[in-house]
Amino acid sequence: MITNAPTLDDITVSGGGDLREIAACLRKYGAAVLPGYIEPDQLTRLSAEWDKLRAARNDGNPAIRRVGGDVADYAALDRTAGTKADFPAIEAVFDNDRVRSLVREVVGFPCMLNSEIYATYDVGADRAIADAHFDKTWNLKFMVYLEDIMESGKGAFGVHPGSMGEARRRFREWFDGICRDGAVDVGTDEFYSMPNERLPNNLAPFVEILAPRGSLIIFNTDVYHSGSYLNAGCERRILRAHTYPGERLLGIGDKMPRNSRHYERGEKWEKTGKGFSRFSKEGLGEWGEKMRLRRLSAQASIKSKGVALMNFIRRCLYIPRRVVARLVRR
Ligand SMILES: [Fe+2]
């Protein structure tokens, strides 16, 4: 039994959201809630852009893709693909000086600042929207409730406050067990074996974030989080933005190095308050690791080209050798 467990009040920053308070909340609990943060007019515009984004999810627009499957039917906007003029409210909310200041502290630059925006639409089926987990790829998320979620059964987002340390311990144990040359290959079966969905039993109790429309929730994806129960007959609409460390999203074929923010996952900032800098010890370490992996992959490529060349020469020599062998036999 955990006494004095953190509550929704503890992770709530009221009064317009002072940046220092938000940062303090994120450092301690991994999440910060700003109730009713978005003004009503702006929220109306955001809702209209949610509609626009969702309506375009099957149009083949390279900046907007459908993220689907059996469970979800969401739309994802790639903000790096020149969409600023089409979604001005999304731009204003997810990319401004305050967001940049916070991202600079928590994630550090270079980063993909809210490069992905998800318009999520969930339809109730008398079950949870998503079970508790930490994300495989570390990032900072900004989530806006487009409608009131003031009671259980309406699919509120929620977290186990302060659970980042346990997530990192599990992540690193898994990483250290399978890494080769100090890195893990992204998108492989091994990568998907990451135990990010097995809920430890020593976490602080789940806090369901019941909040009015226009509320903003910021969270570090190492905090165990989930989408709670959504009753049949209910719907949930949310806008969610993702900020990843680095200059591009990690995808299949990429490597996740040990000496990177994907491995550190914001821990240093939480413990010391010192942010990531390209010129800090961590920044230079990350850069050095990137160069080392690039060199290793170039060496591997040269080696495989060498093998291909040798095979080609062998094939070229094969026929003359057979002809000579026949002539000799005669
Ligand atoms: Fe997640």
Side-chain angles (χ1 to χ4, degrees):
M1 172 92 183
I2 297 172
T3 52
N4 299 323
T7 64
L8 181 54
D9 276 348
D10 292 316
I11 63 170
T12 296
V13 178
S14 46
D18 176 77
L19 270 181
R20 277 168 307 183
E21 262 188 77
I22 297 171
C25 213
L26 280 171
R27 282 175 67 183
K28 188 167 182 186
Y29 299 116
V33 182
L34 286 73
Y37 177 77
I38 309 287
E39 296 290 329
D41 286 356
Q42 185 72 303
L43 190 64
T44 303
R45 287 190 283 273
L46 269 187
S47 291
E49 291 185 11
W50 182 97
D51 289 337
K52 185 175 170 180
L53 192 48
R54 179 163 169 82
R57 72 194 187 286
N58 296 316
D59 288 355
N61 181 335
I64 300 170
R65 68 191 164 93
R66 177 171 176 258
V67 181
D70 300 335
V71 216
D73 176 8
Y74 297 169
L77 171 70
D78 175 3
R79 279 187 57 244
T80 64
T83 58
K84 292 186 188 217
D86 296 332
F87 296 96
I90 284 178
E91 283 302 311
V93 169
F94 295 112
D95 190 352
N96 56 52
D97 288 346
R98 283 167 60 78
V99 166
R100 282 183 173 267
S101 295
L102 189 67
V103 161
R104 177 169 287 111
E105 264 199 61
V106 182
V107 182
F109 283 91
C111 71
M112 303 287 291
L113 189 139
N114 286 339
S115 59
E116 284 186 321
I117 309 283
Y118 283 76
T120 74
Y121 175 61
D122 289 283
V123 178
D126 280 341
R127 65 171 183 233
I129 292 172
D131 292 331
H133 63 281
F134 64 87
D135 285 12
K136 290 188 178 70
T137 312
W138 178 67
N139 63 104
L140 184 71
K141 290 187 180 173
F142 296 77
M143 174 187 279
V144 173
Y145 282 180
L146 296 179
E147 283 138 7
D148 292 341
I149 304 184
M150 302 299 289
E151 57 190 273
S152 296
K154 294 291 173 65
F157 176 75
V159 297
H160 293 266
S163 53
M164 304 84 77
E166 182 59 27
R168 282 177 196 133
R169 194 186 64 70
R170 291 192 168 209
F171 169 80
R172 289 172 186 160
E173 205 174 276
W174 162 84
F175 187 103
D176 296 343
I178 66 161
C179 73
R180 278 187 293 270
D181 288 328
V184 163
D185 293 311
V186 176
T188 58
D189 287 347
E190 271 184 324
F191 183 76
Y192 290 112
S193 73
M194 190 190 300
N196 63 322
E197 290 177 341
R198 277 174 239 146
L199 196 64
N201 52 19
N202 55 347
L203 299 185
F206 180 69
V207 170
E208 196 177 23
I209 300 174
L210 302 176
R213 63 203 298 266
S215 296
L216 173 66
I217 300 163
I218 308 168
F219 68 103
N220 155 6
T221 59
D222 263 354
V223 74
Y224 278 85
H225 57 277
S226 66
S228 63
Y229 204 85
L230 187 60
N231 293 334
C234 293
E235 298 174 347
R236 190 190 81 162
R237 297 188 314 145
I238 272 176
L239 272 174
R240 196 180 67 216
H242 301 187
T243 294
Y244 298 91
E247 282 151 341
R248 64 188 187 85
L249 296 177
L250 289 183
I252 294 171
D254 284 332
K255 288 187 183 299
M256 182 187 278
R258 186 194 304 275
N259 202 349
S260 71
R261 281 169 286 163
H262 279 296
Y263 186 86
E264 291 301 322
R265 298 170 95 90
E267 182 179 57
K268 183 170 174 283
W269 173 74
E270 282 163 24
K271 285 191 168 160
T272 65
K274 286 186 183 154
F276 175 89
S277 152
R278 225 193 260 241
F279 305 106
S280 63
K281 201 173 95 198
E282 292 72 30
L284 290 172
E286 187 176 72
W287 177 80
E289 188 67 19
K290 198 165 81 179
M291 293 299 121
R292 189 179 74 82
L293 289 170
R294 208 174 268 176
R295 200 174 60 242
L296 282 174
S297 110
Q299 281 168 355
S301 160
I302 290 169
K303 199 173 164 190
S304 76
K305 278 180 186 152
V307 170
L309 181 64
M310 286 306 293
N311 286 340
F312 176 73
I313 293 170
R314 263 191 216 113
R315 273 201 302 276
C316 290
L317 293 174
Y318 177 71
I319 295 173
R321 264 203 332 260
R322 295 273 309 245
V323 172
V324 170
R326 267 187 206 156
L327 288 173
V328 168
R329 278 204 295 273
R330 279 179 195 165

